[in-house]
Amino acid sequence: MATFQTLPGFREFYPEECALRNFLFERFRRTALSFAFEEYDAPILEQTELFTAKSGDEIIAQLFNFEDKGGRRVAMRPEMTPSLARMVGTRANAMKRPIKWFNISEAFRYERPQRGRLRSFYQFNADMFGDMSPCADAEIIALCIHALRNFGLSCEDFHVRLSDRRLWTLLLQSHGAGDAEMQQILSLIDRIEREDPGHTIENLGKVRGIDAEKVYGDILLLKNVRTLDQLVKFFEKSSAAGDVIGERIGDFSTLLGRMEAFGLSKFVTIDFSIVRGLAYYTGFVFEAFERTGQSRALAGGGRYDNLTKKLGYSDLPAVGFAAGDVTIGNILMEKKTAPIFSKNLCCFIVYSRETEKIAMKQAAHLRWKNVNVDYCLEESNFVKQLKTAAQHKAKFVAIFDEENAASNRVRMKNMETGSENIISSGDIFAAISE
Amino acid sequence: MATFQTLPGFREFYPEECALRNFLFERFRRTALSFAFEEYDAPILEQTELFTAKSGDEIIAQLFNFEDKGGRRVAMRPEMTPSLARMVGTRANAMKRPIKWFNISEAFRYERPQRGRLRSFYQFNADMFGDMSPCADAEIIALCIHALRNFGLSCEDFHVRLSDRRLWTLLLQSHGAGDAEMQQILSLIDRIEREDPGHTIENLGKVRGIDAEKVYGDILLLKNVRTLDQLVKFFEKSSAAGDVIGERIGDFSTLLGRMEAFGLSKFVTIDFSIVRGLAYYTGFVFEAFERTGQSRALAGGGRYDNLTKKLGYSDLPAVGFAAGDVTIGNILMEKKTAPIFSKNLCCFIVYSRETEKIAMKQAAHLRWKNVNVDYCLEESNFVKQLKTAAQHKAKFVAIFDEENAASNRVRMKNMETGSENIISSGDIFAAISE
């Protein structure tokens, strides 16, 4: 009989891998809680329509979708945001604002598996609903930075590239672009670093009602802006000057002011080449990138004020980000900052047929107290048992020999120091808690 | 636009529900670690054939199965065991025995949703491979009991009904039943309490090569056995007496002896009406039941020594159990022993436009130290901010008023005691850690 394989792009987690995954989860969770975000979860399987309502029918090519036995069109979620928008939208009126939620869960996309991209992966999602101020954007970006730093990554390892769809939109409007043209131009900007300039200008030429050369010139200038001062100067000279621009630059200043107060300025780079492909972003957008090496994207997000309304719920401003486990996991492995897998065995119990009863009684007692306890299931000689204890890297070994057990005592060996004491068998917990 | 619904039998987890779910996960995990089990995980989506290889084609009616975009026959897992058997089977030779693994994850079954049974649910699985002794069975049963007790359930709330497929098989063999008839008769025993006796005898009459009346008589007698002594006596009188039976009763004695040493005898009832429907069990089988109320099954498991071989891997003895989140969650809600949901907000920060910088700096510092911190995103008056702090049930409030902030100080208010101190703003962490 042929043995079985996992599907392409899906992973098994043997204990070592599961420990790394759980480490990522634990750090994501810890960081989100420190920002007073609350955890939620949603079904893995949803109506396909929930996903197409957000992303259009073209998302279907990437879905694990099918018809269930009740004839429903269903799909395994490719991302958490649509389910989140439904949950928040449904109860928005009953919840205090801002609503600050996070989730750690699996998502599924039918794509060609490659390094850093699988068909099944975990995402950490953090989102805030009900607050329009740039302080909410600052909070989300700070949470993203804190999460990555909590993995041991420093500002030499990564930075957050910050951009703004709103300023892009205002600039392009000043060039005569309407709503229909906007997404078209933003897509070209999104790909600009991977295309040659001639090709980009050619494509801009196909956009209705704009002067491709002029727009291209402004795009290059805005893409080079790195400071708030440069941003102010760019718009002073541009055709898009005005009160609305001034207000938005004020938002930029508020956001950067918060980042500075948080002590996080050195993590943030203004970089308008980030536009985020997804049509649903409406304001600040950002991506966390590796600064060195492969310059991989570690996380990304931004403001999406129209989503709940688009899905049929009340109008709620929203900002959030997502980070995946695959890229971050790979970096921690390469940098060797991932924790070394260990069973964390606290106490190994050595016993004989004669002392089995008292030994097992103490094993159960220790387990009630959350001590990680192990022993050989069947009696074997002490030498063999002690060898097993050493293999398991137990911190302590409790040796129930006949002589000591008869007077309700046990030999406690500290495997780190090598020291050995004879104590009352009821005192094991106290001995290992010292 | 119509708003969206979850699919029938699937759940959303708002923060309160997510907190209960995470509480269950945390207690399962803690218990498994105390027994030195290691966590693993496997894909949610697998080849359909992996599941039919274990359970036969009739499982397909219960699957969320489909053809993926690459033409593969795939299914969302209805249980973890087949994936587990593949993982262990693939690396069995490289791993130290016994292999003690646990997992907490989601499973999916296309069944009619009803109370306590959903189409998506979480299962806690704990399994041990590579040890044939009844001590391994004892370990798994003890782990099951410890897990339920760690939820605050006592021996008045539940007990484990223990039975043995091996003794059933030996008894039925003595009546002339062959392998083909065995599963047929065990299925009748599984349903015996829900059928009237006449119907059961009639069905036994259809089984080839046995005397239905005699078999029925023995079934009733064995079902009434509650102690090891009664078990010994039953087999002394039965046609199935012999060395093999004697050995197996020895195993029973070993298993019960361990449970006694663990101090868990009062949780265990011998009860041969438990046979577990699944064909793959080969030895001791058990189910944890509510003693009172609705007598719901909380967990179940047993020995399944043939599975890895059946799936094409090397022959590995195995024993394990699974517990679901739905029934246990319902009981904790009814008994009100589930933890009360709380944001566990530690420190709420109150600030003004003038003190924003120093306040945000301290907020970031505290979050680095894993303190759960919150504040109003935008400035508002102190009265409103303090009201929000109280609504969030913060333990401490750090008030950055202008006068104190000017000398780098802050008013710390303990919301439990009402006491207030003025301290250096760098000492907040020390103050809340006291």
Side-chain angles (χ1 to χ4, degrees):
Chain A
M1 190 193 285
T3 53
F4 293 94
Q5 305 287 327
T6 55
L7 296 167
F10 286 78
R11 286 173 291 176
E12 294 175 320
F13 294 88
Y14 281 84
E16 294 78 359
E17 288 118 16
C18 198
L20 173 62
R21 188 197 70 173
N22 287 358
F23 168 74
L24 296 179
F25 289 1
E26 187 270 324
R27 288 297 158 95
F28 280 140
R29 182 172 281 119
R30 180 202 286 190
T31 310
L33 293 174
S34 79
F35 278 71
F37 278 58
E38 298 176 281
E39 191 168 353
Y40 71 97
D41 208 351
I44 277 177
L45 199 71
E46 297 271 15
Q47 291 175 263
T48 305
E49 207 192 334
L50 177 66
F51 303 120
T52 56
K54 177 188 168 228
S55 307
D57 281 344
E58 56 273 26
I59 188 76
I60 290 181
Q62 283 182 34
L63 293 179
F64 284 91
N65 62 311
F66 59 102
E67 201 172 279
D68 80 2
K69 292 193 162 66
R72 297 170 198 89
R73 294 178 61 224
V74 298
M76 294 167 79
R77 64 165 168 250
E79 56 162 334
M80 184 50 101
T81 311
S83 306
L84 167 65
R86 178 189 59 215
M87 289 178 72
V88 170
T90 305
R91 297 204 191 161
N93 295 332
M95 291 191 287
K96 270 200 210 82
R97 320 262 173 103
I99 297 153
K100 294 160 66 176
W101 279 12
F102 77 97
N103 169 261
I104 302 161
S105 65
E106 210 168 349
F108 306 86
R109 291 185 198 161
Y110 197 86
E111 298 182 299
R112 223 168 74 88
Q114 49 187 283
R115 187 172 165 78
R117 185 177 295 179
L118 299 171
R119 287 186 177 167
S120 150
F121 52 92
Y122 292 92
Q123 264 194 345
F124 170 54
N125 280 270
D127 294 85
M128 191 186 311
F129 289 84
D131 192 295
M132 301 185 48
S133 88
C135 297
D137 299 77
E139 204 76 359
I140 287 288
I141 296 170
L143 171 47
C144 177
I145 296 170
H146 272 236
L148 295 172
R149 278 192 62 180
N150 275 332
F151 290 122
L153 300 176
S154 73
C155 70
E156 269 141 52
D157 297 311
F158 78 96
H159 66 148
V160 167
R161 296 161 73 188
L162 173 67
S163 173
D164 182 24
R165 290 273 279 242
R166 183 104 182 84
L167 281 179
W168 269 123
T169 303
L170 291 169
L171 175 67
L172 295 171
Q173 279 171 348
S174 79
H175 281 282
D179 286 355
E181 292 78 35
M182 204 60 73
Q183 190 56 39
Q184 212 181 337
I185 304 174
L186 290 172
S187 296
L188 293 175
I189 298 169
D190 194 32
R191 293 200 307 270
I192 204 163
E193 292 182 324
R194 283 162 283 159
E195 303 269 8
D196 71 72
H199 198 226
T200 302
I201 296 169
E202 193 189 317
N203 280 323
L204 281 170
K206 294 176 194 159
V207 177
R208 237 168 41 104
I210 61 161
D211 179 330
E213 294 277 350
K214 276 193 186 160
V215 170
Y216 187 68
D218 263 3
I219 289 173
L220 289 191
L221 287 173
L222 186 51
K223 263 174 42 67
N224 283 332
V225 163
R226 287 289 172 277
T227 67
L228 192 59
D229 276 353
Q230 290 170 0
L231 189 65
V232 171
K233 283 193 187 117
F234 170 83
F235 277 103
E236 273 168 7
K237 286 186 226 158
S238 100
S239 50
D243 287 353
V244 185
I245 296 275
E247 242 175 65
R248 190 54 179 166
I249 288 176
D251 289 346
F252 233 110
S253 172
T254 302
L255 168 51
L256 294 175
R258 273 283 157 103
M259 300 316 290
E260 196 189 335
F262 290 143
L264 300 177
S265 289
K266 60 181 182 290
F267 287 94
V268 180
T269 309
I270 295 178
D271 187 344
F272 278 84
S273 52
I274 299 296
V275 295
R276 307 277 294 157
L278 302 169
Y280 83 130
Y281 287 111
T282 57
F284 291 115
V285 287
F286 66 94
E287 288 185 2
F289 271 86
E290 232 186 338
R291 265 196 215 264
T292 55
Q294 303 177 48
S295 186
R296 291 167 285 203
L298 306 175
R303 184 165 278 282
Y304 54 100
D305 287 341
N306 299 335
L307 185 63
T308 50
K309 195 175 176 196
K310 187 177 173 187
L311 293 179
Y313 303 98
S314 58
D315 208 356
L316 272 175
V319 53
F321 84 98
D325 74 309
V326 182
T327 315
I328 294 174
N330 286 343
I331 289 175
L332 299 190
M333 297 296 284
E334 288 161 23
K335 291 180 59 78
K336 301 190 195 311
T337 55
I340 290 160
F341 173 69
S342 152
K343 287 179 84 167
N344 289 319
L345 187 62
C346 183
C347 186
F348 195 94
I349 286 177
V350 170
Y351 65 102
S352 66
R353 177 185 290 273
E354 289 71 23
T355 65
E356 177 181 340
K357 280 230 152 115
I358 180 174
M360 291 301 113
K361 183 181 165 194
Q362 293 306 326
H365 275 317
L366 290 171
R367 285 169 169 170
W368 287 126
K369 291 179 179 289
N370 282 324
V371 178
N372 298 358
V373 173
D374 209 357
Y375 41 81
C376 293
L377 282 174
E378 289 167 285
E379 49 204 311
S380 59
N381 63 54
F382 277 26
V383 174
K384 203 175 151 194
Q385 290 183 67
L386 285 165
K387 204 179 137 197
T388 309
Q391 283 170 346
H392 283 50
K393 299 194 170 52
K395 259 189 253 170
F396 293 91
V397 179
I399 305 166
F400 289 86
D401 60 49
E402 226 176 313
E403 191 193 329
N404 283 301
S407 54
N408 212 15
R409 290 144 82 89
V410 60
R411 274 162 54 204
M412 280 299 285
K413 189 168 177 179
N414 182 324
M415 297 293 270
E416 280 159 13
T417 65
S419 70
E420 207 176 299
N421 293 305
I422 293 171
I423 61 171
S424 164
S425 64
D427 291 340
I428 302 178
F429 182 71
I432 65 182
S433 305
E434 264 170 18
Chain B
M1 189 193 286
T3 52
F4 294 94
Q5 305 287 327
T6 56
L7 296 166
F10 285 78
R11 286 173 290 175
E12 292 176 320
F13 294 88
Y14 280 84
E16 295 78 358
E17 290 119 15
C18 198
L20 173 62
R21 187 197 71 172
N22 287 357
F23 168 75
L24 296 180
F25 289 2
E26 187 271 325
R27 289 296 157 95
F28 280 140
R29 182 170 281 120
R30 181 202 283 191
T31 310
L33 292 174
S34 79
F35 277 72
F37 278 59
E38 298 175 280
E39 191 168 353
Y40 70 97
D41 207 349
I44 277 178
L45 198 71
E46 296 270 16
Q47 292 176 263
T48 305
E49 205 191 335
L50 177 66
F51 304 120
T52 55
K54 177 188 168 227
S55 306
D57 282 342
E58 56 273 26
I59 188 77
I60 289 180
Q62 283 182 34
L63 293 180
F64 284 91
N65 63 311
F66 58 103
E67 202 171 279
D68 80 2
K69 293 193 161 65
R72 298 171 196 88
R73 294 178 62 223
V74 298
M76 294 167 80
R77 65 165 169 250
E79 57 162 333
M80 184 50 102
T81 312
S83 306
L84 167 65
R86 177 189 61 213
M87 287 178 73
V88 170
T90 305
R91 296 205 190 160
N93 295 332
M95 290 191 287
K96 271 200 209 83
R97 320 265 174 101
I99 298 154
K100 293 161 65 178
W101 280 11
F102 78 97
N103 170 260
I104 303 161
S105 65
E106 209 168 350
F108 305 86
R109 290 184 199 164
Y110 197 87
E111 297 181 301
R112 223 168 73 89
Q114 50 186 283
R115 188 175 164 76
R117 184 177 297 179
L118 297 170
R119 288 188 177 166
S120 151
F121 52 93
Y122 293 92
Q123 263 194 346
F124 171 55
N125 279 270
D127 295 86
M128 193 185 310
F129 290 83
D131 193 297
M132 301 186 48
S133 89
C135 297
D137 299 76
E139 203 76 358
I140 286 289
I141 296 169
L143 171 48
C144 177
I145 295 169
H146 272 236
L148 294 172
R149 278 193 61 181
N150 275 333
F151 291 121
L153 300 175
S154 73
C155 71
E156 269 140 51
D157 297 311
F158 78 95
H159 66 149
V160 166
R161 296 161 73 189
L162 173 68
S163 173
D164 182 24
R165 291 273 279 244
R166 183 105 182 83
L167 280 179
W168 268 123
T169 303
L170 291 169
L171 175 67
L172 295 171
Q173 279 171 348
S174 79
H175 281 283
D179 286 354
E181 291 80 34
M182 202 60 71
Q183 190 56 36
Q184 212 181 340
I185 304 173
L186 289 173
S187 295
L188 293 174
I189 297 168
D190 193 32
R191 293 199 308 269
I192 205 163
E193 292 183 324
R194 283 162 283 161
E195 302 268 10
D196 72 71
H199 198 223
T200 302
I201 295 169
E202 192 190 319
N203 281 323
L204 282 171
K206 294 174 194 162
V207 178
R208 237 167 43 102
I210 60 162
D211 179 329
E213 295 276 352
K214 276 193 186 162
V215 170
Y216 187 68
D218 262 2
I219 289 173
L220 290 190
L221 286 173
L222 186 50
K223 262 172 46 64
N224 283 332
V225 163
R226 287 289 171 274
T227 66
L228 192 60
D229 275 355
Q230 289 170 0
L231 188 65
V232 171
K233 281 191 189 118
F234 169 83
F235 277 104
E236 274 168 8
K237 286 186 223 156
S238 100
S239 50
D243 288 351
V244 184
I245 296 275
E247 243 174 65
R248 190 55 180 166
I249 287 174
D251 289 344
F252 233 112
S253 171
T254 301
L255 168 51
L256 294 173
R258 272 285 157 102
M259 300 316 290
E260 197 189 335
F262 291 142
L264 300 177
S265 289
K266 60 182 181 291
F267 287 92
V268 180
T269 309
I270 294 178
D271 185 344
F272 277 83
S273 52
I274 299 296
V275 296
R276 307 275 296 155
L278 301 169
Y280 82 130
Y281 287 111
T282 58
F284 291 114
V285 286
F286 65 95
E287 289 185 2
F289 269 85
E290 233 186 337
R291 265 194 215 265
T292 54
Q294 304 177 47
S295 186
R296 291 167 285 203
L298 305 176
R303 183 165 281 281
Y304 54 100
D305 286 341
N306 299 335
L307 184 64
T308 50
K309 196 176 174 191
K310 187 178 173 188
L311 293 179
Y313 302 98
S314 59
D315 209 355
L316 272 175
V319 55
F321 84 99
D325 73 310
V326 183
T327 315
I328 294 174
N330 286 343
I331 289 175
L332 298 191
M333 297 296 286
E334 289 161 23
K335 290 179 60 77
K336 301 190 197 307
T337 55
I340 290 162
F341 172 69
S342 152
K343 287 179 85 168
N344 289 318
L345 187 62
C346 183
C347 186
F348 195 93
I349 286 178
V350 170
Y351 65 102
S352 65
R353 178 186 288 273
E354 289 72 23
T355 64
E356 178 182 340
K357 279 230 154 116
I358 182 173
M360 292 301 114
K361 183 182 163 190
Q362 294 306 326
H365 275 319
L366 291 171
R367 284 170 169 169
W368 287 126
K369 290 179 180 288
N370 282 326
V371 179
N372 298 358
V373 173
D374 209 357
Y375 42 81
C376 294
L377 282 175
E378 288 167 285
E379 48 205 311
S380 59
N381 64 55
F382 276 26
V383 173
K384 202 174 153 196
Q385 291 184 64
L386 284 165
K387 204 179 139 197
T388 308
Q391 283 169 347
H392 282 51
K393 298 194 171 56
K395 260 189 249 168
F396 293 92
V397 180
I399 305 167
F400 288 86
D401 58 48
E402 227 177 311
E403 189 193 330
N404 282 301
S407 55
N408 214 13
R409 290 143 83 89
V410 60
R411 275 161 56 204
M412 280 300 287
K413 187 167 180 181
N414 182 324
M415 298 293 271
E416 281 159 13
T417 64
S419 70
E420 206 176 300
N421 292 306
I422 293 172
I423 62 170
S424 164
S425 64
D427 291 341
I428 302 178
F429 182 71
I432 65 184
S433 305
E434 262 170 18

